[in-house]
Tab-separated table of all heavy atoms in Angstrom:
chain	number	residue	atom	x	y	z
A	246	THR	N	19.314	-6.317	4.899
A	246	THR	CA	17.999	-6.928	4.721
A	246	THR	C	16.940	-5.857	4.453
A	246	THR	O	15.851	-6.137	4.029
A	246	THR	CB	17.599	-7.708	5.984
A	246	THR	OG1	17.635	-6.818	7.095
A	246	THR	CG2	18.524	-8.862	6.222
A	247	THR	N	17.335	-4.617	4.746
A	247	THR	CA	16.388	-3.533	4.521
A	247	THR	C	16.521	-2.993	3.110
A	247	THR	O	16.011	-1.938	2.783
A	247	THR	CB	16.631	-2.383	5.517
A	247	THR	OG1	17.977	-1.944	5.357
A	247	THR	CG2	16.379	-2.814	6.926
A	250	TYR	N	13.339	-1.922	1.461
A	250	TYR	CA	12.828	-0.588	1.769
A	250	TYR	C	13.547	0.461	0.936
A	250	TYR	O	12.937	1.331	0.341
A	250	TYR	CB	13.031	-0.274	3.262
A	250	TYR	CG	12.003	-0.908	4.155
A	250	TYR	CD1	11.050	-1.799	3.656
A	250	TYR	CD2	11.975	-0.611	5.511
A	250	TYR	CE1	10.105	-2.366	4.487
A	250	TYR	CE2	11.027	-1.164	6.347
A	250	TYR	CZ	10.105	-2.048	5.829
A	250	TYR	OH	9.169	-2.596	6.654
A	280	SER	N	4.334	-7.984	-2.548
A	280	SER	CA	4.754	-7.298	-1.328
A	280	SER	C	4.141	-5.911	-1.172
A	280	SER	O	4.734	-5.024	-0.583
A	280	SER	CB	6.277	-7.180	-1.289
A	280	SER	OG	6.850	-8.463	-1.356
A	282	ARG	N	1.900	-4.894	0.703
A	282	ARG	CA	1.716	-4.530	2.112
A	282	ARG	C	3.014	-4.027	2.706
A	282	ARG	O	3.015	-3.121	3.539
A	282	ARG	CB	1.234	-5.737	2.904
A	282	ARG	CG	0.193	-6.532	2.173
A	282	ARG	CD	-0.388	-7.603	3.042
A	282	ARG	NE	-1.206	-7.005	4.073
A	282	ARG	CZ	-1.965	-7.695	4.898
A	282	ARG	NH1	-1.984	-8.988	4.829
A	282	ARG	NH2	-2.691	-7.098	5.795
A	283	VAL	N	4.097	-4.637	2.309
A	283	VAL	CA	5.393	-4.216	2.825
A	283	VAL	C	5.724	-2.810	2.341
A	283	VAL	O	6.333	-2.025	3.059
A	283	VAL	CB	6.495	-5.195	2.385
A	283	VAL	CG1	7.819	-4.821	3.002
A	283	VAL	CG2	6.105	-6.615	2.754
C	249	DG	P	-5.246	-19.247	2.495
C	249	DG	OP1	-5.015	-20.573	1.852
C	249	DG	OP2	-4.918	-19.048	3.924
C	249	DG	O5'	-4.448	-18.153	1.636
C	249	DG	C5'	-4.878	-17.881	0.294
C	249	DG	C4'	-3.857	-16.976	-0.404
C	249	DG	O4'	-4.120	-15.594	-0.073
C	249	DG	C3'	-2.411	-17.261	0.016
C	249	DG	O3'	-1.581	-17.166	-1.138
C	249	DG	C2'	-2.116	-16.172	1.021
C	249	DG	C1'	-2.957	-15.007	0.507
C	249	DG	N9	-3.389	-14.053	1.531
C	249	DG	C8	-3.831	-14.327	2.799
C	249	DG	N7	-4.133	-13.252	3.493
C	249	DG	C5	-3.881	-12.211	2.624
C	249	DG	C6	-4.026	-10.809	2.802
C	249	DG	O6	-4.413	-10.197	3.790
C	249	DG	N1	-3.642	-10.103	1.664
C	249	DG	C2	-3.198	-10.671	0.510
C	249	DG	N2	-2.873	-9.836	-0.474
C	249	DG	N3	-3.056	-11.973	0.322
C	249	DG	C4	-3.414	-12.689	1.419
C	250	DC	P	-0.058	-17.712	-1.031
C	250	DC	OP1	0.155	-18.799	-1.971
C	250	DC	OP2	0.292	-17.894	0.396
C	250	DC	O5'	0.694	-16.437	-1.616
C	250	DC	C5'	0.152	-15.157	-1.407
C	250	DC	C4'	1.238	-14.089	-1.477
C	250	DC	O4'	0.839	-12.998	-0.645
C	250	DC	C3'	2.581	-14.569	-0.911
C	250	DC	O3'	3.666	-13.993	-1.619
C	250	DC	C2'	2.578	-14.090	0.505
C	250	DC	C1'	1.635	-12.906	0.524
C	250	DC	N1	0.744	-12.889	1.725
C	250	DC	C2	0.225	-11.685	2.170
C	250	DC	O2	0.494	-10.652	1.568
C	250	DC	N3	-0.551	-11.685	3.270
C	250	DC	C4	-0.834	-12.827	3.905
C	250	DC	N4	-1.604	-12.787	4.970
C	250	DC	C5	-0.302	-14.078	3.444
C	250	DC	C6	0.462	-14.058	2.353
C	251	DC	P	5.103	-14.690	-1.393
C	251	DC	OP1	5.631	-15.027	-2.721
C	251	DC	OP2	5.023	-15.722	-0.332
C	251	DC	O5'	5.947	-13.468	-0.804
C	251	DC	C5'	5.792	-12.177	-1.370
C	251	DC	C4'	6.331	-11.123	-0.427
C	251	DC	O4'	5.338	-10.780	0.564
C	251	DC	C3'	7.580	-11.560	0.328
C	251	DC	O3'	8.591	-10.575	0.187
C	251	DC	C2'	7.125	-11.651	1.775
C	251	DC	C1'	5.946	-10.716	1.844
C	251	DC	N1	4.914	-11.074	2.836
C	251	DC	C2	4.421	-10.079	3.685
C	251	DC	O2	4.858	-8.927	3.595
C	251	DC	N3	3.477	-10.403	4.598
C	251	DC	C4	3.022	-11.659	4.671
C	251	DC	N4	2.093	-11.918	5.577
C	251	DC	C5	3.512	-12.685	3.814
C	251	DC	C6	4.446	-12.349	2.913
C	252	DA	P	10.048	-10.959	0.732
C	252	DA	OP1	11.003	-10.651	-0.330
C	252	DA	OP2	10.040	-12.300	1.361
C	252	DA	O5'	10.232	-9.860	1.890
C	252	DA	C5'	10.133	-8.481	1.541
C	252	DA	C4'	10.100	-7.620	2.802
C	252	DA	O4'	8.902	-7.903	3.559
C	252	DA	C3'	11.283	-7.878	3.733
C	252	DA	O3'	11.733	-6.644	4.259
C	252	DA	C2'	10.699	-8.773	4.805
C	252	DA	C1'	9.249	-8.301	4.883
C	252	DA	N9	8.297	-9.337	5.304
C	252	DA	C8	8.214	-10.635	4.885
C	252	DA	N7	7.254	-11.326	5.461
C	252	DA	C5	6.668	-10.407	6.317
C	252	DA	C6	5.600	-10.514	7.223
C	252	DA	N6	4.904	-11.621	7.426
C	252	DA	N1	5.274	-9.401	7.932
C	252	DA	C2	5.970	-8.272	7.733
C	252	DA	N3	6.996	-8.066	6.925
C	252	DA	C4	7.296	-9.181	6.229
C	253	DT	P	12.960	-6.596	5.282
C	253	DT	OP1	13.743	-5.405	4.929
C	253	DT	OP2	13.593	-7.923	5.358
C	253	DT	O5'	12.241	-6.279	6.685
C	253	DT	C5'	11.258	-5.266	6.709
C	253	DT	C4'	10.702	-5.070	8.114
C	253	DT	O4'	9.676	-6.033	8.392
C	253	DT	C3'	11.736	-5.175	9.232
C	253	DT	O3'	11.495	-4.157	10.191
C	253	DT	C2'	11.473	-6.549	9.803
C	253	DT	C1'	9.989	-6.734	9.580
C	253	DT	N1	9.524	-8.112	9.435
C	253	DT	C2	8.349	-8.463	10.090
C	253	DT	O2	7.712	-7.677	10.777
C	253	DT	N3	7.952	-9.766	9.916
C	253	DT	C4	8.578	-10.732	9.178
C	253	DT	O4	8.117	-11.857	9.114
C	253	DT	C5	9.792	-10.318	8.498
C	253	DT	C7	10.554	-11.293	7.678
C	253	DT	C6	10.189	-9.040	8.665
C	254	DA	P	12.418	-4.018	11.498
C	254	DA	OP1	12.705	-2.577	11.653
C	254	DA	OP2	13.528	-4.990	11.419
C	254	DA	O5'	11.423	-4.462	12.656
C	254	DA	C5'	10.130	-3.869	12.741
C	254	DA	C4'	9.419	-4.369	14.000
C	254	DA	O4'	8.885	-5.684	13.771
C	254	DA	C3'	10.321	-4.460	15.220
C	254	DA	O3'	9.583	-4.110	16.386
C	254	DA	C2'	10.726	-5.915	15.229
C	254	DA	C1'	9.483	-6.607	14.669
C	254	DA	N9	9.763	-7.844	13.941
C	254	DA	C8	10.771	-8.085	13.034
C	254	DA	N7	10.745	-9.302	12.533
C	254	DA	C5	9.648	-9.896	13.146
C	254	DA	C6	9.078	-11.178	13.035
C	254	DA	N6	9.560	-12.140	12.251
C	254	DA	N1	7.989	-11.446	13.796
C	254	DA	C2	7.504	-10.485	14.585
C	254	DA	N3	7.957	-9.250	14.772
C	254	DA	C4	9.033	-9.003	14.000
Side-chain angles (χ1 to χ4, degrees):
Chain A
T246 57
T247 58
Y250 281 6
S280 302
R282 318 187 70 172
V283 184

